[in-house]
Structure formats: structure tokens, C-alpha cells
Amino acid sequence: MEVGTARKDWRTGQPDGLKTRGYATARLPILIHWDCFCIGMDRLSEENAGMPTTARDRTDPHDHSASASWMTGVSADYPAGFAVDPHRHARGQLLYAVDGVLVVEAGTGRWIVPPTAAVWLRPGVEHRLQACGPARVRSVLVLPKAAHRLPDTDCVLHVSPLLRELVAEAAALGTEVCGTRRGRLVAALLVEELRHPRTLPFHLPWPADRRMATVCRAIATGSAYASSAEDWARSLAMSAKTFHRHFAKSTGMNFGRWRQQARLLAAVDAIVRGRPLMEVALGCGYESHSAFTQSFKRHFGTSPSRFLPA
């Protein structure tokens, strides 16, 4: 993970002024940003300009690999727009944002993680993450010998009140979670909670095929909600049947389902950040509040109001 690497604006390819490590050096324009599934990225406030992150000291992988504890904890508070470059851990990792929304990206897809959920990543999985707005992140890392008892796929999990408190306690204990009897009990109960997880549909598979990735990126940024599969087939000089076949092979989902999931994940992010539900519905391509609510309930099993900030 490099220090002080400049991020690039996804629209122009030019540096956008925000460092991936260290200080936020410039305001971000309001835009629809794929990296965060964000509708209208908030500007960095004057208070955040020059605000250091505590992440470096607390997430140094050497600290965790050198620890004798089979479980270690991490606490990090990120300013809006903060991004962590692609990296991997020898340990499995459970990432949870106490406040704020995280987007976690790996080779197999992207997950949006609201405060009601956490993402589990198996040992050795390369990933990057970005905070949509300010985020307080708490996570635990687990040695492979213990992680084999945990989910065998990367996924987003429901965070119960008990799991939330266990993660917070493990994060507070840092690299010595198992250094005391109490810490070992916390670790054992946390693993037990993760052995029977309730997974959530917050995953968006991302294609390796460059042509299909172009389609997905346009949909995810909100610039092509209305474009049909036939429209994309024509633009890529292929038949609709061939387009559908390539898309399903690349993503594991049909075009209509993928597009709906991208819309709804963008909606979750916007709702968590306090956007009015009608504005979210229209921004995600739905013609009415009721149509949006019905689609949301079918997909997530709960109403959009469940994600409104307290």
C-alpha cells in the first residue's frame, strides 16, 4: 500500500487532488461516482481539509502478521472519499462501518456495506475500499486456521446487535485480542456468530470482459439506466442474443437482473446518506415512489425506510 498516491478523476483520468493515504488536499465536485455507487458525492468540508487519518498506524499488516493472537482487531476513522489502494491480508477479514457507507471491491465483484451489514473477505483476497462520506470502520482479522470455520465465499453479512458489540470490542483490543481470558472469550463468541451468517444481497458481480465492463460502468454511474440490452447490442455491433450471452457469462446474471441490482445498491447508499426517498427513486430510474418501494422490498426483504439514518 503506497503512501501519498494520488487518485484520478474517473471522468478525465487526471489527478483529482485527493490522496489515498494521508491528507485530503482538495474538495471533490458533486458527481455520480461509480467507485462509491454514490449519487452526488458530498464535497469535503473545510474541517476535513488537512485532517490526518489514523488508519496507517492501526492497519499496518506487519503488526497483525507478527501478532501471536489468532484474532486481531482494527479501528480506523476515514474522511469522506478516503480510498485504500488494492491490498491483501494473510488473514480473513470482517469489515464493518459503525457509521457511514463503505464500498469494497475485489476481483469477483463489488459490495456496498451500510451500517447494518459487514463484508467478509477470505484470507489472501486482494481488495480495495472507499468511504462514501465520513466512516468509522471497525474490523477483525482471523488466521486461516480459524477462518476455515467461517464462510467459504466473500459475502456481505447481517450485523446483529451482538455481533456489532463483539466486533467493536475486538477492534478496541487491537493486535492482542487473545491476550487475556476475556479477549479469548470475545473471539470465540465472535467466530461462533459468524459460523451461521445471514448473507445479504449487497454484491454486484463485475465482469472481466472489457466490453461488458463498459456497459456495467455506464449503468452503475447512472448514465445509462434507460438503455436496453438491444441498445447496447447495437452499440457493440453484435446481436441482442450474443450480447445477452456474453453479459450472462461475464457476470453470472442476466442483464435485467444486474441492472436492477445496480440501481438498488445505489439507492441503499443514497438512503443511508439521508437523501429523500422520492429523489432516490427518480434518480435510480423508477417512475414512482411505489414502484421503487415494491422493487426494493422484493430484493432486500424490507422497506427503504429501514435504511434511513436515525
Side-chain angles (χ1 to χ4, degrees), residues 39 46 74 102 114 201 235:
I39 301 176
E46 290 293 343
V74 175
L102 290 179
S235 70

Side-chain angles (χ1 to χ4, degrees), residues 61-69 72 91 175-176:
H62 298 296
D63 293 344
H64 298 275
S65 61
S67 174
S69 177
T72 55
R91 300 177 178 228
T175 57
E176 300 301 328

Side-chain angles (χ1 to χ4, degrees), residues 88-171:
R88 68 182 76 228
H89 303 286
R91 300 177 178 228
Q93 184 176 25
L94 184 75
L95 273 164
Y96 171 58
V98 179
D99 293 309
V101 177
L102 290 179
V103 171
V104 180
E105 303 176 6
T108 55
R110 307 182 183 202
W111 298 263
I112 185 168
V113 191
T116 55
V119 64
W120 165 253
L121 298 170
R122 294 162 298 148
V125 172
E126 185 176 75
H127 61 282
R128 70 182 292 273
L129 62 91
Q130 183 163 355
C132 292
R136 294 194 299 134
V137 180
R138 306 294 179 261
S139 66
V140 295
L141 294 100
V142 183
L143 279 176
K145 66 180 182 182
H148 79 276
R149 302 163 58 194
L150 303 180
D152 58 4
T153 58
D154 307 320
C155 55
V156 172
L157 313 174
H158 170 68
V159 175
S160 66
L162 175 58
L163 182 57
R164 181 185 66 226
E165 296 305 320
L166 290 170
V167 171
E169 184 61 25

